[in-house]
Amino acid sequence: MNLYRFAVFTEEKQFNVINGQYQDPGDLYFAIYIDGEITNTFPSKNDEYVFDASQSSCTNGATVSWDEDSWSAAINFSNYSAGNMSRTKCAMYFKKQLTAADYITSLVDTSTELVYDETADNNLRYIGADPNNYVLFNNELWRIIGVMNNIDDGTGKKETRLKIIRDESIGNYSWDNKGENGENDWTTASLQTVLNSGAYYNRTSGECPYGQNGATTSCDFTSTGLTEDAKSLISNAVWNLGGSNTYNDVTASMFYERERGTGVYSGRSTTWTGQIGLIYPSDYGYATSGGSGIDRAECLASVLYNWDNLSDCYNNDWLYIGASQWTITQNFAYI
């Protein structure tokens, strides 16, 4: 196989190559397109552009590829067949790298399973009884809660992030069991430790919190814990820990505001910076699409406590599992 690599040219030579004036031996010249526009420079490695192989091609039977590591073009002449001594011309196309969040956002106009939650952050969420929001992560099925805006990475920099949840439970464990009722503080909670520095995070086995008064049960995450590849895809985020001093009169939007508020049990933190958390009550509320009898707007106007009597709301909410599940929100009123 005849394979030749060509490093990125200097700016002057790039200009000459594009204009067909390249007279060096090799009978080869390039045309470079970025976002469909011809240019005299290759994109730099840090510009978040990717090589578009579907559009790129060469004449005379040659083929072109792009080496991401060396950031250079590779031309394969194994099927080369030139007529009339013509030069080989390679058109190379580059396009902006589309993130998962960008891709999901692009689906809004064509999907009834995605809606903006109309909060101040204007997050985009999957809704309905069983939306097509499955992704393969950590070599297992997870589901996308939504595209979340204004997520602080812990340094003050705010980004748009995907928020995902495992499709199946990892087990039945205590949120926190220091003493009889725990400390009502996610920053030190027993489950938080398991998820962010303990057995689950390290893909090992050990003891996990169960019941009260510091009791534990054996837990084995050697096949379900996070892989190194999965951990490389998770970044720190500031999780809001604001609580609610009532629970039977709160709608999804009210929960959303209180989760981001300063109402906490005495001495507890209002935020936690880390990687793995739990859903919020508002995540559950905003995931409904409503039904034929009660639509989504009516569900969102109803307090979550009353959803037990509103089957159109919970039966059309993919985060409803028919059983109790932990949220990251602390109980503001008491321990």
mmCIF file of all heavy atoms in Angstrom, residues 151-194:
data_model
loop_
_atom_site.group_PDB
_atom_site.id
_atom_site.type_symbol
_atom_site.label_atom_id
_atom_site.label_comp_id
_atom_site.label_asym_id
_atom_site.label_seq_id
_atom_site.Cartn_x
_atom_site.Cartn_y
_atom_site.Cartn_z
ATOM 1 N N ILE A 151 -24.201 25.498 33.991
ATOM 2 C CA ILE A 151 -23.637 24.619 35.005
ATOM 3 C C ILE A 151 -22.237 25.086 35.354
ATOM 4 O O ILE A 151 -21.348 25.126 34.501
ATOM 5 C CB ILE A 151 -23.600 23.162 34.518
ATOM 6 C CG1 ILE A 151 -25.011 22.688 34.137
ATOM 7 C CG2 ILE A 151 -22.998 22.262 35.584
ATOM 8 C CD1 ILE A 151 -26.007 22.733 35.258
ATOM 9 N N ASP A 152 -22.033 25.460 36.608
ATOM 10 C CA ASP A 152 -20.730 25.926 37.091
ATOM 11 C C ASP A 152 -19.815 24.720 37.275
ATOM 12 O O ASP A 152 -20.192 23.733 37.904
ATOM 13 C CB ASP A 152 -20.924 26.651 38.424
ATOM 14 C CG ASP A 152 -19.682 27.423 38.870
ATOM 15 O OD1 ASP A 152 -18.560 26.955 38.629
ATOM 16 O OD2 ASP A 152 -19.855 28.485 39.487
ATOM 17 N N ASP A 153 -18.603 24.788 36.718
ATOM 18 C CA ASP A 153 -17.676 23.656 36.837
ATOM 19 C C ASP A 153 -16.866 23.678 38.124
ATOM 20 O O ASP A 153 -15.963 22.865 38.317
ATOM 21 C CB ASP A 153 -16.739 23.595 35.630
ATOM 22 C CG ASP A 153 -15.761 24.773 35.572
ATOM 23 O OD1 ASP A 153 -15.854 25.681 36.435
ATOM 24 O OD2 ASP A 153 -14.907 24.794 34.671
ATOM 25 N N GLY A 154 -17.202 24.594 39.015
ATOM 26 C CA GLY A 154 -16.498 24.689 40.286
ATOM 27 C C GLY A 154 -15.473 25.803 40.321
ATOM 28 O O GLY A 154 -14.955 26.152 41.383
ATOM 29 N N THR A 155 -15.170 26.382 39.144
ATOM 30 C CA THR A 155 -14.200 27.478 39.060
ATOM 31 C C THR A 155 -14.881 28.803 38.731
ATOM 32 O O THR A 155 -14.214 29.822 38.595
ATOM 33 C CB THR A 155 -13.145 27.188 37.986
ATOM 34 O OG1 THR A 155 -13.758 27.240 36.682
ATOM 35 C CG2 THR A 155 -12.509 25.827 38.193
ATOM 36 N N GLY A 156 -16.202 28.778 38.586
ATOM 37 C CA GLY A 156 -16.928 29.965 38.175
ATOM 38 C C GLY A 156 -17.262 29.969 36.696
ATOM 39 O O GLY A 156 -18.072 30.781 36.236
ATOM 40 N N LYS A 157 -16.659 29.062 35.936
ATOM 41 C CA LYS A 157 -16.949 28.953 34.507
ATOM 42 C C LYS A 157 -18.249 28.186 34.316
ATOM 43 O O LYS A 157 -18.407 27.080 34.819
ATOM 44 C CB LYS A 157 -15.813 28.230 33.788
ATOM 45 C CG LYS A 157 -16.051 28.026 32.308
ATOM 46 C CD LYS A 157 -14.922 27.231 31.675
ATOM 47 C CE LYS A 157 -15.194 26.960 30.211
ATOM 48 N NZ LYS A 157 -14.118 26.127 29.600
ATOM 49 N N LYS A 158 -19.167 28.763 33.568
ATOM 50 C CA LYS A 158 -20.470 28.125 33.359
ATOM 51 C C LYS A 158 -20.545 27.523 31.958
ATOM 52 O O LYS A 158 -20.125 28.145 30.976
ATOM 53 C CB LYS A 158 -21.600 29.114 33.596
ATOM 54 C CG LYS A 158 -21.687 29.543 35.063
ATOM 55 C CD LYS A 158 -22.919 30.360 35.355
ATOM 56 C CE LYS A 158 -23.021 30.667 36.851
ATOM 57 N NZ LYS A 158 -24.230 31.432 37.188
ATOM 58 N N GLU A 159 -21.086 26.311 31.901
ATOM 59 C CA GLU A 159 -21.116 25.554 30.663
ATOM 60 C C GLU A 159 -22.487 24.921 30.460
ATOM 61 O O GLU A 159 -23.301 24.866 31.382
ATOM 62 C CB GLU A 159 -20.058 24.436 30.698
ATOM 63 C CG GLU A 159 -18.648 24.903 30.975
ATOM 64 C CD GLU A 159 -17.709 23.750 31.222
ATOM 65 O OE1 GLU A 159 -18.093 22.815 31.942
ATOM 66 O OE2 GLU A 159 -16.588 23.788 30.683
ATOM 67 N N THR A 160 -22.709 24.416 29.253
ATOM 68 C CA THR A 160 -23.876 23.593 28.973
ATOM 69 C C THR A 160 -23.464 22.140 29.076
ATOM 70 O O THR A 160 -22.479 21.719 28.480
ATOM 71 C CB THR A 160 -24.421 23.889 27.562
ATOM 72 O OG1 THR A 160 -24.879 25.253 27.518
ATOM 73 C CG2 THR A 160 -25.575 22.968 27.222
ATOM 74 N N ARG A 161 -24.206 21.363 29.847
ATOM 75 C CA ARG A 161 -23.830 19.971 30.112
ATOM 76 C C ARG A 161 -25.009 19.035 29.855
ATOM 77 O O ARG A 161 -26.173 19.425 29.986
ATOM 78 C CB ARG A 161 -23.404 19.787 31.575
ATOM 79 C CG ARG A 161 -22.205 20.621 32.012
ATOM 80 C CD ARG A 161 -20.912 19.892 31.770
ATOM 81 N NE ARG A 161 -19.807 20.556 32.441
ATOM 82 C CZ ARG A 161 -19.403 20.278 33.673
ATOM 83 N NH1 ARG A 161 -20.032 19.351 34.386
ATOM 84 N NH2 ARG A 161 -18.387 20.915 34.208
ATOM 85 N N LEU A 162 -24.686 17.779 29.537
ATOM 86 C CA LEU A 162 -25.684 16.720 29.524
ATOM 87 C C LEU A 162 -25.815 16.160 30.929
ATOM 88 O O LEU A 162 -24.811 15.923 31.614
ATOM 89 C CB LEU A 162 -25.262 15.589 28.592
ATOM 90 C CG LEU A 162 -25.474 15.740 27.097
ATOM 91 C CD1 LEU A 162 -25.117 14.435 26.416
ATOM 92 C CD2 LEU A 162 -26.899 16.131 26.763
ATOM 93 N N LYS A 163 -27.039 15.929 31.363
ATOM 94 C CA LYS A 163 -27.286 15.282 32.644
ATOM 95 C C LYS A 163 -27.915 13.930 32.360
ATOM 96 O O LYS A 163 -28.948 13.854 31.672
ATOM 97 C CB LYS A 163 -28.207 16.133 33.514
ATOM 98 C CG LYS A 163 -28.384 15.605 34.942
ATOM 99 C CD LYS A 163 -29.231 16.565 35.751
ATOM 100 C CE LYS A 163 -29.321 16.142 37.208
ATOM 101 N NZ LYS A 163 -30.152 17.075 37.997
ATOM 102 N N ILE A 164 -27.293 12.867 32.851
ATOM 103 C CA ILE A 164 -27.780 11.519 32.560
ATOM 104 C C ILE A 164 -27.996 10.749 33.852
ATOM 105 O O ILE A 164 -27.455 11.099 34.907
ATOM 106 C CB ILE A 164 -26.802 10.754 31.639
ATOM 107 C CG1 ILE A 164 -25.444 10.546 32.322
ATOM 108 C CG2 ILE A 164 -26.621 11.486 30.311
ATOM 109 C CD1 ILE A 164 -24.455 9.712 31.500
ATOM 110 N N ILE A 165 -28.801 9.704 33.745
ATOM 111 C CA ILE A 165 -29.107 8.868 34.903
ATOM 112 C C ILE A 165 -29.042 7.412 34.466
ATOM 113 O O ILE A 165 -29.428 7.060 33.345
ATOM 114 C CB ILE A 165 -30.511 9.214 35.471
ATOM 115 C CG1 ILE A 165 -30.800 8.412 36.742
ATOM 116 C CG2 ILE A 165 -31.602 9.003 34.440
ATOM 117 C CD1 ILE A 165 -32.075 8.873 37.463
ATOM 118 N N ARG A 166 -28.552 6.570 35.335
ATOM 119 C CA ARG A 166 -28.459 5.144 35.022
ATOM 120 C C ARG A 166 -29.854 4.564 34.837
ATOM 121 O O ARG A 166 -30.782 4.892 35.573
ATOM 122 C CB ARG A 166 -27.719 4.421 36.152
ATOM 123 C CG ARG A 166 -27.209 3.032 35.809
ATOM 124 C CD ARG A 166 -26.342 2.518 36.952
ATOM 125 N NE ARG A 166 -25.696 1.255 36.612
ATOM 126 C CZ ARG A 166 -26.210 0.062 36.847
ATOM 127 N NH1 ARG A 166 -27.403 -0.035 37.419
ATOM 128 N NH2 ARG A 166 -25.563 -1.035 36.519
ATOM 129 N N ASP A 167 -30.005 3.681 33.839
ATOM 130 C CA ASP A 167 -31.321 3.135 33.533
ATOM 131 C C ASP A 167 -31.835 2.228 34.641
ATOM 132 O O ASP A 167 -33.032 2.139 34.873
ATOM 133 C CB ASP A 167 -31.267 2.357 32.214
ATOM 134 C CG ASP A 167 -32.633 1.908 31.745
ATOM 135 O OD1 ASP A 167 -33.581 2.702 31.853
ATOM 136 O OD2 ASP A 167 -32.761 0.755 31.303
ATOM 137 N N GLU A 168 -30.932 1.548 35.341
ATOM 138 C CA GLU A 168 -31.329 0.663 36.432
ATOM 139 C C GLU A 168 -30.650 1.088 37.725
ATOM 140 O O GLU A 168 -29.553 1.644 37.730
ATOM 141 C CB GLU A 168 -30.955 -0.791 36.111
ATOM 142 C CG GLU A 168 -31.684 -1.361 34.902
ATOM 143 C CD GLU A 168 -31.309 -2.807 34.648
ATOM 144 O OE1 GLU A 168 -30.356 -3.299 35.307
ATOM 145 O OE2 GLU A 168 -31.950 -3.442 33.805
ATOM 146 N N SER A 169 -31.304 0.797 38.837
ATOM 147 C CA SER A 169 -30.755 1.115 40.150
ATOM 148 C C SER A 169 -29.481 0.320 40.419
ATOM 149 O O SER A 169 -29.345 -0.823 39.964
ATOM 150 C CB SER A 169 -31.797 0.804 41.232
ATOM 151 O OG SER A 169 -31.231 0.905 42.515
ATOM 152 N N ILE A 170 -28.568 0.905 41.157
ATOM 153 C CA ILE A 170 -27.359 0.166 41.550
ATOM 154 C C ILE A 170 -27.586 -0.618 42.840
ATOM 155 O O ILE A 170 -26.720 -1.379 43.270
ATOM 156 C CB ILE A 170 -26.141 1.099 41.729
ATOM 157 C CG1 ILE A 170 -26.387 2.110 42.864
ATOM 158 C CG2 ILE A 170 -25.798 1.798 40.429
ATOM 159 C CD1 ILE A 170 -25.147 2.895 43.255
ATOM 160 N N GLY A 171 -28.746 -0.441 43.478
ATOM 161 C CA GLY A 171 -29.015 -1.189 44.699
ATOM 162 C C GLY A 171 -29.777 -0.369 45.714
ATOM 163 O O GLY A 171 -30.069 0.809 45.511
ATOM 164 N N ASN A 172 -30.102 -0.994 46.826
ATOM 165 C CA ASN A 172 -30.887 -0.369 47.877
ATOM 166 C C ASN A 172 -29.970 0.019 49.029
ATOM 167 O O ASN A 172 -29.582 -0.828 49.850
ATOM 168 C CB ASN A 172 -31.973 -1.345 48.348
ATOM 169 C CG ASN A 172 -32.891 -0.725 49.377
ATOM 170 O OD1 ASN A 172 -32.935 0.495 49.531
ATOM 171 N ND2 ASN A 172 -33.620 -1.566 50.093
ATOM 172 N N TYR A 173 -29.598 1.303 49.086
ATOM 173 C CA TYR A 173 -28.651 1.777 50.092
ATOM 174 C C TYR A 173 -29.183 3.027 50.775
ATOM 175 O O TYR A 173 -30.031 3.742 50.230
ATOM 176 C CB TYR A 173 -27.290 2.081 49.449
ATOM 177 C CG TYR A 173 -26.739 0.915 48.667
ATOM 178 C CD1 TYR A 173 -26.666 0.943 47.282
ATOM 179 C CD2 TYR A 173 -26.312 -0.240 49.320
ATOM 180 C CE1 TYR A 173 -26.188 -0.131 46.559
ATOM 181 C CE2 TYR A 173 -25.823 -1.329 48.607
ATOM 182 C CZ TYR A 173 -25.770 -1.270 47.229
ATOM 183 O OH TYR A 173 -25.299 -2.351 46.517
ATOM 184 N N SER A 174 -28.685 3.286 51.953
ATOM 185 C CA SER A 174 -29.102 4.473 52.705
ATOM 186 C C SER A 174 -28.488 5.731 52.102
ATOM 187 O O SER A 174 -27.354 5.723 51.631
ATOM 188 C CB SER A 174 -28.658 4.367 54.167
ATOM 189 O OG SER A 174 -29.247 3.267 54.797
ATOM 190 N N TRP A 175 -29.262 6.799 52.123
ATOM 191 C CA TRP A 175 -28.748 8.111 51.693
ATOM 192 C C TRP A 175 -27.638 8.543 52.645
ATOM 193 O O TRP A 175 -26.574 8.929 52.237
ATOM 194 C CB TRP A 175 -29.904 9.106 51.719
ATOM 195 C CG TRP A 175 -29.739 10.396 50.993
ATOM 196 C CD1 TRP A 175 -30.111 10.662 49.709
ATOM 197 C CD2 TRP A 175 -29.222 11.623 51.522
ATOM 198 N NE1 TRP A 175 -29.849 11.977 49.389
ATOM 199 C CE2 TRP A 175 -29.297 12.592 50.495
ATOM 200 C CE3 TRP A 175 -28.687 12.010 52.757
ATOM 201 C CZ2 TRP A 175 -28.876 13.914 50.661
ATOM 202 C CZ3 TRP A 175 -28.267 13.318 52.931
ATOM 203 C CH2 TRP A 175 -28.357 14.255 51.893
ATOM 204 N N ASP A 176 -27.923 8.448 53.912
ATOM 205 C CA ASP A 176 -26.923 8.692 54.962
ATOM 206 C C ASP A 176 -27.432 8.008 56.232
ATOM 207 O O ASP A 176 -28.617 8.045 56.522
ATOM 208 C CB ASP A 176 -26.735 10.191 55.217
ATOM 209 C CG ASP A 176 -25.516 10.481 56.091
ATOM 210 O OD1 ASP A 176 -24.484 9.809 55.894
ATOM 211 O OD2 ASP A 176 -25.596 11.368 56.963
ATOM 212 N N ASN A 177 -26.559 7.345 56.946
ATOM 213 C CA ASN A 177 -27.027 6.637 58.146
ATOM 214 C C ASN A 177 -26.105 6.821 59.338
ATOM 215 O O ASN A 177 -25.973 5.945 60.181
ATOM 216 C CB ASN A 177 -27.221 5.150 57.845
ATOM 217 C CG ASN A 177 -25.909 4.444 57.506
ATOM 218 O OD1 ASN A 177 -24.874 5.074 57.340
ATOM 219 N ND2 ASN A 177 -25.956 3.121 57.427
ATOM 220 N N LYS A 178 -25.491 7.989 59.398
ATOM 221 C CA LYS A 178 -24.733 8.312 60.598
ATOM 222 C C LYS A 178 -25.728 8.601 61.716
ATOM 223 O O LYS A 178 -26.521 9.531 61.613
ATOM 224 C CB LYS A 178 -23.829 9.518 60.366
ATOM 225 C CG LYS A 178 -22.844 9.373 59.213
ATOM 226 C CD LYS A 178 -21.988 10.641 59.112
ATOM 227 C CE LYS A 178 -21.196 10.661 57.828
ATOM 228 N NZ LYS A 178 -22.054 10.940 56.664
ATOM 229 N N GLY A 179 -25.702 7.810 62.754
ATOM 230 C CA GLY A 179 -26.701 7.958 63.797
ATOM 231 C C GLY A 179 -28.025 7.398 63.332
ATOM 232 O O GLY A 179 -28.119 6.676 62.344
ATOM 233 N N GLU A 180 -29.075 7.789 63.981
ATOM 234 C CA GLU A 180 -30.381 7.203 63.681
ATOM 235 C C GLU A 180 -30.942 7.663 62.343
ATOM 236 O O GLU A 180 -31.484 6.870 61.573
ATOM 237 C CB GLU A 180 -31.376 7.558 64.793
ATOM 238 C CG GLU A 180 -32.741 6.923 64.605
ATOM 239 C CD GLU A 180 -33.690 7.235 65.743
ATOM 240 O OE1 GLU A 180 -33.265 7.919 66.705
ATOM 241 O OE2 GLU A 180 -34.861 6.815 65.667
ATOM 242 N N ASN A 181 -30.801 8.977 62.038
ATOM 243 C CA ASN A 181 -31.424 9.524 60.837
ATOM 244 C C ASN A 181 -30.444 10.162 59.860
ATOM 245 O O ASN A 181 -30.848 10.791 58.889
ATOM 246 C CB ASN A 181 -32.467 10.581 61.221
ATOM 247 C CG ASN A 181 -33.615 9.989 62.000
ATOM 248 O OD1 ASN A 181 -34.180 8.975 61.609
ATOM 249 N ND2 ASN A 181 -33.954 10.604 63.134
ATOM 250 N N GLY A 182 -29.163 10.015 60.075
ATOM 251 C CA GLY A 182 -28.199 10.651 59.198
ATOM 252 C C GLY A 182 -28.046 12.128 59.503
ATOM 253 O O GLY A 182 -28.679 12.664 60.418
ATOM 254 N N GLU A 183 -27.192 12.805 58.727
ATOM 255 C CA GLU A 183 -26.880 14.201 59.008
ATOM 256 C C GLU A 183 -27.543 15.184 58.049
ATOM 257 O O GLU A 183 -27.304 16.383 58.141
ATOM 258 C CB GLU A 183 -25.356 14.400 58.972
ATOM 259 C CG GLU A 183 -24.631 13.654 60.086
ATOM 260 C CD GLU A 183 -23.121 13.858 60.047
ATOM 261 O OE1 GLU A 183 -22.616 14.405 59.030
ATOM 262 O OE2 GLU A 183 -22.460 13.477 61.018
ATOM 263 N N ASN A 184 -28.361 14.677 57.107
ATOM 264 C CA ASN A 184 -29.094 15.575 56.228
ATOM 265 C C ASN A 184 -28.154 16.523 55.482
ATOM 266 O O ASN A 184 -28.431 17.708 55.320
ATOM 267 C CB ASN A 184 -30.099 16.393 57.057
ATOM 268 C CG ASN A 184 -31.139 17.077 56.190
ATOM 269 O OD1 ASN A 184 -31.445 16.634 55.106
ATOM 270 N ND2 ASN A 184 -31.663 18.185 56.697
ATOM 271 N N ASP A 185 -27.025 16.003 55.017
ATOM 272 C CA ASP A 185 -26.005 16.835 54.382
ATOM 273 C C ASP A 185 -25.326 16.026 53.281
ATOM 274 O O ASP A 185 -24.538 15.119 53.553
ATOM 275 C CB ASP A 185 -24.983 17.281 55.432
ATOM 276 C CG ASP A 185 -23.969 18.278 54.874
ATOM 277 O OD1 ASP A 185 -23.947 18.512 53.652
ATOM 278 O OD2 ASP A 185 -23.182 18.819 55.688
ATOM 279 N N TRP A 186 -25.635 16.336 52.013
ATOM 280 C CA TRP A 186 -25.072 15.570 50.907
ATOM 281 C C TRP A 186 -23.550 15.668 50.843
ATOM 282 O O TRP A 186 -22.872 14.759 50.370
ATOM 283 C CB TRP A 186 -25.681 16.029 49.581
ATOM 284 C CG TRP A 186 -25.131 15.283 48.403
ATOM 285 C CD1 TRP A 186 -24.267 15.749 47.453
ATOM 286 C CD2 TRP A 186 -25.382 13.905 48.070
ATOM 287 N NE1 TRP A 186 -23.970 14.757 46.539
ATOM 288 C CE2 TRP A 186 -24.641 13.615 46.903
ATOM 289 C CE3 TRP A 186 -26.161 12.899 48.641
ATOM 290 C CZ2 TRP A 186 -24.668 12.359 46.291
ATOM 291 C CZ3 TRP A 186 -26.187 11.648 48.040
ATOM 292 C CH2 TRP A 186 -25.439 11.389 46.884
ATOM 293 N N THR A 187 -22.978 16.747 51.316
ATOM 294 C CA THR A 187 -21.528 16.905 51.226
ATOM 295 C C THR A 187 -20.785 15.833 52.013
ATOM 296 O O THR A 187 -19.637 15.512 51.695
ATOM 297 C CB THR A 187 -21.081 18.300 51.720
ATOM 298 O OG1 THR A 187 -21.331 18.424 53.133
ATOM 299 C CG2 THR A 187 -21.820 19.405 50.980
ATOM 300 N N THR A 188 -21.426 15.282 53.029
ATOM 301 C CA THR A 188 -20.785 14.235 53.834
ATOM 302 C C THR A 188 -21.593 12.946 53.856
ATOM 303 O O THR A 188 -21.272 12.028 54.618
ATOM 304 C CB THR A 188 -20.599 14.725 55.284
ATOM 305 O OG1 THR A 188 -21.884 15.033 55.857
ATOM 306 C CG2 THR A 188 -19.710 15.960 55.340
ATOM 307 N N ALA A 189 -22.638 12.855 53.044
ATOM 308 C CA ALA A 189 -23.541 11.705 53.079
ATOM 309 C C ALA A 189 -22.822 10.407 52.725
ATOM 310 O O ALA A 189 -21.922 10.375 51.882
ATOM 311 C CB ALA A 189 -24.701 11.926 52.113
ATOM 312 N N SER A 190 -23.247 9.326 53.348
ATOM 313 C CA SER A 190 -22.633 8.021 53.114
ATOM 314 C C SER A 190 -22.738 7.613 51.652
ATOM 315 O O SER A 190 -21.782 7.089 51.061
ATOM 316 C CB SER A 190 -23.308 6.963 53.989
ATOM 317 O OG SER A 190 -23.316 7.331 55.343
ATOM 318 N N LEU A 191 -23.885 7.848 51.038
ATOM 319 C CA LEU A 191 -24.076 7.469 49.641
ATOM 320 C C LEU A 191 -23.216 8.326 48.716
ATOM 321 O O LEU A 191 -22.682 7.836 47.720
ATOM 322 C CB LEU A 191 -25.547 7.603 49.260
ATOM 323 C CG LEU A 191 -25.935 7.116 47.861
ATOM 324 C CD1 LEU A 191 -25.538 5.662 47.645
ATOM 325 C CD2 LEU A 191 -27.434 7.300 47.626
ATOM 326 N N GLN A 192 -23.081 9.582 49.039
ATOM 327 C CA GLN A 192 -22.211 10.463 48.237
ATOM 328 C C GLN A 192 -20.793 9.919 48.204
ATOM 329 O O GLN A 192 -20.133 9.920 47.152
ATOM 330 C CB GLN A 192 -22.241 11.880 48.823
ATOM 331 C CG GLN A 192 -21.451 12.913 48.043
ATOM 332 C CD GLN A 192 -19.995 13.021 48.469
ATOM 333 O OE1 GLN A 192 -19.097 12.630 47.715
ATOM 334 N NE2 GLN A 192 -19.746 13.508 49.686
ATOM 335 N N THR A 193 -20.312 9.420 49.329
ATOM 336 C CA THR A 193 -18.965 8.856 49.392
ATOM 337 C C THR A 193 -18.838 7.612 48.522
ATOM 338 O O THR A 193 -17.861 7.437 47.794
ATOM 339 C CB THR A 193 -18.607 8.516 50.851
ATOM 340 O OG1 THR A 193 -18.674 9.710 51.649
ATOM 341 C CG2 THR A 193 -17.203 7.938 50.946
ATOM 342 N N VAL A 194 -19.847 6.748 48.584
ATOM 343 C CA VAL A 194 -19.836 5.531 47.751
ATOM 344 C C VAL A 194 -19.729 5.893 46.275
ATOM 345 O O VAL A 194 -18.971 5.287 45.510
ATOM 346 C CB VAL A 194 -21.095 4.686 48.007
ATOM 347 C CG1 VAL A 194 -21.186 3.535 47.005
ATOM 348 C CG2 VAL A 194 -21.105 4.148 49.427
#
